[in-house]
Amino acid sequence: MKKFFALTLVLIICLTLFGCGTSEPAADNSELESSKLESSLPSSEPVSSEPVSSEPVESEPEPAPTDVVARVAALKGPTAMGLVQLMDAEDPQFEFTIAAAADEITPQLVQGNLDIAAVPANLASVLYNNTEGQIQVLAVNTLGVLYLAEKGDTVHSVEDLRGRTIYSSGKGSTPEYALNYLLSQNGIDPESDVTIEWKSEHSECVAALAAGENAIAMLPQPFLTTAQTKDDSIRVALDLNEEWEKLSSTSENAATLITGVVVARKAFVEENPETVKDFLEKYEASVNYVNSNVDEAAALVGKFDIVPEAVAKQALPKCNITFIAGQEMKEKLSAYLQTLFEQNPKAIGGAMPDDDFFYSYAG
């Protein structure tokens, strides 16, 4: 009889425990999907479930929160070339987009659909001013990539440009400001001493160069190399990067010609400091790889359809791909933006950016 009561008591306890174990509501799939989506947005907090009671219960562990994925964009050209090793690594922390023009990137960045982007240096300052400081520059990634080319052998100094016709695209952006600075600092009035004809596409400049006499075209890499592979009579006359360095060595202005920088949304930087630091470390390693392993890097450039591999192999050493961060970045970029500001304040958004524009990176 005692055994019967003991067995009955055990059965009652088991049924009671089983009832407690199933009183916890099962996780709703739609809630989990919402949690994953919200945790991928820079301004969201992960969704968590409040326990229905304080009683300790046996339950399966909650899924780990979704890792932050930084959405990164770059332009077809040197800025994207420097990223190719990191892109090829297929790191799940980073999602890459390659665009043909800056106006495909900037609205997405401002609207929060991108987190990090490679953009022209002056545009970074314009975005900072237009968003009231919500854009921060992480690093300089490209120095001067502009070259003056001709079909012939008549231009060997800036003075040789006097009286000539120069074809270029990029009015209102880096090419115009760089050319005007170079001419004026060498005593040539861009308005009266030369004729500058602005085109909408680089290909139009090459066509004009081929058709015109006494003409010169200002072209960026790697487009210049592409043009030379099609017409080997096109010759590099002047490297604007070298000409700027000459000016810096003979004047108080220590500005370096800077083509591109990497920027990020300040909110993303503040909310994800470790992701940003990791990105910069891996980006710097990618830049070093590209500059040290031209053949292998050229193959990756072709793989990601930035430019053909054969063109990349010739152009990479001339693209001035770099990685400059921290205090050196701040000094060089400030000097460059000041040079543009003195020409036309609108070129950098109307005002020099404040110190919070420059991301502090120790490496």
Side-chain angles (χ1 to χ4, degrees), residues 211-222:
E213 294 183 5
N214 200 38
I216 301 160
M218 185 165 68
L219 299 167
Q221 289 290 3

Side-chain angles (χ1 to χ4, degrees), residues 120-167:
N122 70 302
L123 179 57
S125 179
V126 172
L127 290 172
Y128 171 85
N129 283 311
N130 289 351
T131 61
E132 298 181 347
Q134 294 309 303
I135 297 296
Q136 198 166 37
V137 62
L138 305 180
V140 170
N141 62 14
T142 318
L143 299 178
V145 296
L146 292 170
Y147 295 80
L148 287 164
E150 67 169 338
K151 294 187 70 171
D153 191 23
T154 62
V155 176
H156 298 278
S157 69
V158 176
E159 179 59 31
D160 292 335
L161 298 173
R162 192 182 297 272
R164 308 292 291 271
T165 297
I166 302 172
Y167 296 97

Side-chain angles (χ1 to χ4, degrees), residues 307-328:
V307 296
E309 179 180 349
V311 172
K313 190 176 293 189
Q314 296 183 55
L316 275 170
K318 307 167 190 173
C319 285
N320 292 316
I321 297 168
T322 189
F323 182 92
I324 303 172
Q327 185 62 29
E328 184 183 0

Side-chain angles (χ1 to χ4, degrees), residues 20-40:
C20 291
T22 57
S23 66
E24 185 75 13
D28 182 70
N29 286 336
S30 63
E31 183 181 82
L32 289 176
E33 289 303 316
S34 174
S35 175
K36 291 177 183 177
L37 176 61
E38 290 190 27
S39 65
S40 70

